[in-house]
Amino acid sequence: MPRLIPRLASRHAGQRRIRIWSAVASLATALAMAGLASAPASAADVNNVKNPGFESGLSNWTCSAGSGTTVSSPVHSGAAALKATPAGQDYAQCSQTVAVKANSTYTLSAWVQGSYTYLGVTGTGTTDVSTWTPNTAWTQLSTTFTTGASTTSVTVWTHGWYGQPAYYADDVSVYGPDGGGGSDPAPTVPATPAGLAVSGTTSSSASLSWSAVSGATGYNVYQNGTKVSAVTGASATVTGLAASTSYSFQVTATNSAGESAKSSAVTATTTASGGNGGGSLPKHAVTGYWQNFNNGATVQKIADVPSSYDIIAVAFADATSTPGAVSFTLDSAGLGGYTVDQFKADIQAKKAAGKKVIISIGGQNGTISVSDSASATNFANSVYSLMQTFGFDGVDIDLENGINATYMSQALRSLSSKAGSSLIITMAPQTIDMQSTSNGYFQTALNIKDILTVVNMQYYNSGSMLGCDGKVYSQGSVDFLTALACIQLQGGLAPSQVGLGLPASTSAAGSGYVSPTVVNNALDCLTKLTNCGSFKPSTAYPDLRGAMTWSTNWDAAAGNAWSSSVGAHVHALP
């Protein structure tokens, strides 16, 4: 959500550019390859990549637009690693032509670090493949490919993403039959993971962590002896568990050579069932952001917000000089002399009418960072103080500069312990934040599932994205709304925790506005399997929470057309 004082009324004034072909080639393949088992390496297999660890600088490698260099820190191993920096239209692709044998299977892997880092291969003569990770710590990406009957070389590449910081890559490998010049030995079965621990539980999930294993490309998670999950990092959240129940967990490490023995077991006991946060919130609810600034939309008092809005998110709290802490100052001058006492009284009147008023943290210009225990504590204490001062019912997480799942989860649990079961917690991630459960936003939502009210993903300022069926859908269609909501529903969120976030008018966002009819059709498709586009969910979700808009002010500027139509439709859902 933008603060945007005199600037464009878009959630992201400088949103990153999305190229459709890259989304198809990287994101689609990444999800399609999830859980793929690598073929075992043979004794004759070698690493066919030359200068795989960048110990000889960029020898044998070519980086687009001069984006690459080598550095001595950080490195995964050895004395050097690749550093490549996206800039403008260039996303810093570095590649090497690798000699291979025809009709052969190879395992491609690399250790990478940085926001949205991709690894892939082209020219295979069969199906080109790629994989990616949003992790900022060293992570090993791995996939397999098979060469065609006349293929003697392939191009291996890695790249970052538009508008993101530099990424790092190290220890790139293409293990398989020697295509000419390869010399590195094939990997061995990794060691058994150590340090398995329970990092958190809810009424329906258990979060686990363990020490990373050298040479591992992935890990399998076992629940009571049965494999339930495969992940690439050294942590996992197992969902779908029963409340107040004990479960035994073990993990193994894997790579192309095989799977390690199971780790020592740990026991996790889920908490008692307590409903998903939100107190007396209606089964189906409409959320609207209220602007504490004047950017050309209708200036409103809280009292002016139509009754069709069940949750009013006050935008925005501000960062302070204390890490993680936030504050809120009413823009009385910009809002026509709206006083703090009037503001507080209007909040109480809305609450008396059964509405919820919460404080939103972040927005386009928000720079709040919760990255350690101290900042998590500061966040919880400061938000709770605002709740007591102004009468807010909870908090909205709208951090568009990234989110640390571990410490934001800690902060929100601490806030919950202070505020109690009536606390409202909402989130407004961007579409790319909810493409994978490994992303920090999605992880946070799953970590606090037992106290989370609703995730209202922003279906705007996005560009095309993957749906849960692996197909790419264009922004602005019923399919875009339903197929992306499906990812959240299949990824572990309860239907009551999923809402559709749309702009209230064409002026409210740079792109992504759809008519209220499209929103209502998407709601019907998800809840009743009617009015769908080409995508139709495998099941109906009648408990879907509802919809959200940016903003009540832009809605008012357009005659409240959005809330009048969508609000009535949401409240009439089954």
Side-chain angles (χ1 to χ4, degrees):
M1 304 291 175
R3 188 174 302 271
L4 296 171
I5 305 295
R7 296 183 293 176
L8 172 66
S10 159
R11 186 81 176 233
H12 313 282
Q15 77 179 73
R16 64 177 69 99
R17 300 171 179 87
I18 308 278
R19 285 188 180 175
I20 307 306
W21 70 266
S22 186
V24 174
S26 298
L27 293 174
T29 306
L31 296 185
M33 295 298 297
L36 181 66
S38 300
S42 70
D45 286 350
V46 298
N47 182 9
N48 289 274
V49 175
K50 296 180 180 179
N51 188 24
F54 302 94
E55 308 302 323
S56 300
L58 293 180
S59 176
N60 301 108
W61 292 92
T62 300
C63 295
S64 61
S67 57
T69 186
T70 55
V71 294
S72 58
S73 178
V75 299
H76 174 255
S77 68
L82 168 70
K83 177 183 179 181
T85 307
Q89 296 286 341
D90 180 68
Y91 51 74
Q93 176 164 303
C94 295
S95 61
Q96 178 180 146
T97 299
V98 177
V100 293
K101 283 188 174 181
N103 295 321
S104 301
T105 298
Y106 292 87
T107 297
L108 168 66
S109 68
W111 284 88
V112 299
Q113 174 178 303
S115 300
Y116 306 110
T117 308
Y118 299 77
L119 173 71
V121 60
T122 56
T124 61
T126 56
T127 301
D128 295 343
V129 298
S130 64
T131 182
W132 73 296
T133 179
N135 291 341
T136 55
W138 281 113
T139 302
Q140 190 175 35
L141 294 174
S142 182
T143 185
T144 61
F145 65 93
T146 301
T147 55
S150 59
T151 303
T152 58
S153 67
V154 296
T155 299
V156 174
W157 53 262
T158 182
H159 68 68
W161 197 249
Y162 306 105
Q164 296 299 304
Y167 71 89
Y168 301 86
D170 202 357
D171 300 328
V172 184
S173 63
V174 175
Y175 277 111
D178 190 350
S183 59
D184 290 353
T188 58
V189 175
T192 302
L196 178 62
V198 179
S199 55
T201 59
T202 71
S203 61
S204 60
S205 68
S207 296
L208 309 169
S209 63
W210 54 91
S211 300
V213 176
S214 177
T217 59
Y219 302 90
N220 293 330
V221 180
Y222 290 83
Q223 174 187 316
N224 296 337
T226 301
K227 180 182 172 181
V228 293
S229 179
V231 298
T232 57
S235 64
T237 298
V238 180
T239 60
L241 306 180
S244 303
T245 304
S246 294
Y247 295 89
S248 176
F249 293 99
Q250 295 171 285
V251 295
T252 62
T254 63
N255 62 16
S256 59
E259 181 179 18
S260 74
K262 291 185 177 72
S263 69
S264 299
V266 295
T267 299
T269 302
T270 54
T271 60
S273 179
N276 301 318
S280 59
L281 194 67
K283 177 181 179 181
H284 300 297
V286 178
T287 302
Y289 284 80
W290 176 85
Q291 299 177 187
N292 180 42
F293 50 86
N294 180 358
N295 66 343
T298 300
V299 173
Q300 290 181 319
K301 296 179 172 63
I302 293 292
D304 299 328
V305 177
S307 60
S308 50
Y309 289 101
D310 303 290
I311 303 175
I312 303 167
V314 172
F316 294 98
D318 299 305
T320 73
S321 59
T322 301
V326 298
S327 64
F328 176 77
T329 302
L330 186 69
D331 183 14
S332 296
L335 301 181
Y338 195 18
T339 69
V340 171
D341 287 342
Q342 286 177 307
F343 178 70
K344 291 179 180 179
D346 287 348
I347 290 176
Q348 291 304 316
K350 284 292 183 183
K351 294 171 66 170
K355 309 302 180 182
K356 306 293 183 181
V357 184
I358 61 179
I359 181 67
S360 183
I361 310 296
Q364 174 190 293
N365 296 337
T367 56
I368 295 92
S369 176
V370 178
S371 56
D372 54 32
S373 293
S375 58
T377 298
N378 294 336
F379 180 91
N381 289 342
S382 61
V383 172
Y384 186 59
S385 177
L386 294 180
M387 291 175 63
Q388 293 178 304
T389 300
F390 294 98
F392 297 130
D393 294 290
V395 64
D396 170 66
I397 305 302
D398 185 17
L399 297 176
E400 298 180 8
N401 59 326
I403 189 169
N404 183 304
T406 298
Y407 295 108
M408 180 53 73
S409 300
Q410 178 180 318
L412 293 172
R413 289 205 172 276
S414 176
L415 178 62
S416 176
S417 68
K418 299 173 184 293
S421 60
S422 64
L423 176 70
I424 299 286
I425 300 177
T426 69
M427 294 183 174
Q430 302 165 94
T431 52
I432 199 168
D433 294 326
M434 302 300 284
Q435 286 276 285
S436 168
T437 54
S438 65
N439 185 276
Y441 242 114
F442 214 142
Q443 286 181 16
T444 302
L446 294 175
N447 288 350
I448 63 161
K449 184 177 176 180
D450 57 317
I451 58 173
L452 173 66
T453 306
V454 62
V455 175
N456 292 306
M457 190 174 75
Q458 308 169 41
Y459 291 82
Y460 48 99
N461 293 342
S462 163
S464 298
M465 284 286 158
L466 283 171
C468 64
D469 57 355
K471 296 180 181 179
V472 175
Y473 292 96
S474 298
Q475 177 181 265
S477 64
V478 169
D479 290 334
F480 186 73
L481 304 184
T482 55
L484 269 67
C486 175
I487 295 177
Q488 300 169 63
L489 293 162
Q490 291 185 358
L493 293 183
S496 63
Q497 295 172 318
V498 176
L500 308 181
L502 282 307
S505 71
T506 55
S507 299
S511 65
Y513 172 77
V514 296
S515 71
T517 299
V518 173
V519 182
N520 293 341
N521 286 345
L523 291 168
D524 287 343
C525 180
L526 290 167
T527 58
K528 299 181 287 188
L529 301 181
T530 61
N531 293 326
C532 297
S534 62
F535 172 81
K536 189 172 185 178
S538 58
T539 185
Y541 301 96
D543 292 337
L544 193 83
R545 180 62 79 176
M548 170 274 281
T549 197
W550 176 266
S551 63
T552 65
N553 306 75
W554 285 114
D555 187 26
N560 291 316
W562 193 93
S563 58
S564 296
S565 176
V566 177
H569 200 84
V570 166
H571 296 136
L573 291 173

